[in-house]
Amino acid sequence: MSKAIVVVSFGTTYPETRRKTIEACEQAIQERFPAYPVYRAFTSNVVRRRIKKQEGLDIPTVKEVLDQLLEAGTEEVYIQPLHVILGSEYEKILTQAKEFESAFKKLVVAKPLLNSQEDYEAVKDILLERYGHEGQDAATVLMGHGSQHYAFTAYAALDHMLKGSSVYVGCVESYPPVELIEQELKKDGVREVHLAPFMLVAGDHATNDMSSDEEGSWYRFFKEQGYEVKAHLVGLGEYPEVQQLYIQHLEEIIE
């Protein structure tokens, strides 16, 4: 019986972080499941079009990969999203996969990074280990993407679980906003701010909205508030322990 794994992410137009994050996750998954061929798909059509124009690469959608696998006679397909929350991009995967429910003997979609309470606890521990040791009067502020989807509450929940530590989670497009995080830093006597993305990749948002000196960036915002600021362009997908969480979600649906 032929089986396959499809690893799905939003995608990024930045080749270097794509290699360090998305490709690293795919490789870790392939090593864990050597008997399963691993395929890539992106959910962002804008990213896919830009990559095609800039690099000449055709990155398929979930639907296109499933069409390809069906044609090849694959019988079991396991989809692992590399998304962070159960938001609109995750729902896009479910919608495209639903069309193929009866076409395969088995077609299952695993959960993104943050799903169960255990996931939140595990991610909290990873963040504290990676970012919670910057020293006295210092804090790390992680930039989440945020969402207009009701799943935006995931970011606030994680930030709440980190209360009392030197790690904070804010969002560039929803709640908690950076201004609210800054109020917390002021109360906690923080003088030095380390910025890092709470995103799979260190792509467009991390480069421009977080770490640039442009008007409206978090780097500029904290500088103007009088903090010493350092930016770290490391996507979550670079961390082996984050890759392992995705693998655990895949193990749950395969085994």
Side-chain angles (χ1 to χ4, degrees):
M1 184 185 291
S2 58
K3 306 174 183 182
I5 291 170
V6 181
V7 179
V8 190
S9 61
F10 181 84
T12 178
T13 57
Y14 289 67
E16 184 63 16
T17 191
R18 191 189 315 146
R19 183 183 62 77
K20 289 179 178 177
T21 57
I22 294 169
E23 196 173 309
C25 288
E26 292 165 347
Q27 287 174 350
I29 287 168
Q30 185 67 84
E31 285 168 17
R32 171 61 185 85
F33 300 99
Y36 295 71
V38 172
Y39 296 82
R40 172 186 294 179
F42 286 177
T43 56
S44 171
N45 292 324
V46 172
V47 168
R48 291 175 54 251
R49 282 196 298 271
R50 286 181 183 167
I51 290 173
K52 172 69 174 170
K53 186 179 178 182
Q54 293 166 10
E55 302 175 55
L57 293 174
D58 276 309
I59 311 289
T61 62
V62 172
K63 183 184 184 304
E64 288 169 347
V65 171
L66 293 177
D67 274 328
Q68 178 189 337
L69 292 174
L70 195 59
E71 200 174 313
T74 306
E75 295 178 317
E76 289 188 14
V77 181
Y78 300 92
I79 299 175
Q80 178 57 60
L82 299 182
H83 298 77
V84 175
I85 64 170
L86 293 152
S88 53
E89 295 297 318
Y90 180 77
E91 287 185 351
K92 196 186 287 187
I93 298 169
L94 298 180
T95 301
Q96 291 185 36
K98 195 171 176 62
E99 290 180 41
F100 295 84
E101 270 180 341
S102 57
F104 295 97
K105 283 190 177 177
K106 195 170 186 181
L107 175 61
V108 194
V109 182
K111 298 301 183 190
L113 188 65
L114 294 174
N115 175 56
S116 65
Q117 185 177 338
E118 289 74 22
D119 292 336
Y120 281 81
E121 295 285 357
V123 170
K124 181 193 78 170
D125 290 344
I126 292 168
L127 297 179
L128 289 173
E129 180 56 38
R130 288 285 180 175
Y131 298 114
H133 309 289
E134 295 296 353
Q136 200 174 2
D137 301 335
T140 298
V141 178
L142 298 167
M143 174 188 272
H145 188 282
S147 176
Q148 301 310 307
H149 189 277
Y150 60 81
F152 82 92
T153 53
Y155 298 100
L158 187 60
D159 182 59
H160 182 75
M161 291 172 77
L162 288 161
K163 281 282 180 280
S165 76
S166 61
V167 181
Y168 303 76
V169 177
C171 291
V172 68
E173 290 189 8
S174 61
Y175 186 90
V178 68
E179 294 82 5
L180 189 64
I181 300 295
E182 195 276 325
Q183 288 174 22
E184 294 295 319
L185 298 184
K186 200 173 284 177
K187 278 193 283 187
D188 294 342
V190 172
R191 294 195 183 115
E192 181 181 307
V193 173
H194 293 259
L195 296 172
F198 184 66
M199 304 176 191
L200 179 75
V201 304
D204 196 54
H205 281 300
T207 303
N208 298 314
D209 299 319
M210 188 191 82
S211 62
S212 77
D213 200 26
E214 293 172 12
E215 186 71 41
S217 79
W218 283 20
Y219 181 89
R220 179 110 170 237
F221 171 77
F222 283 112
K223 276 280 191 187
E224 288 173 352
Q225 301 301 316
Y227 295 89
E228 185 180 336
V229 190
K230 296 174 184 174
H232 307 271
L233 287 171
V234 182
L236 293 176
E238 292 191 39
Y239 296 133
E241 53 269 50
V242 170
Q243 296 165 16
Q244 191 55 42
L245 289 180
Y246 287 121
I247 288 170
Q248 284 174 20
H249 288 178
L250 201 44
E251 286 171 345
E252 285 166 14
I253 64 168
I254 290 179
E255 297 173 356

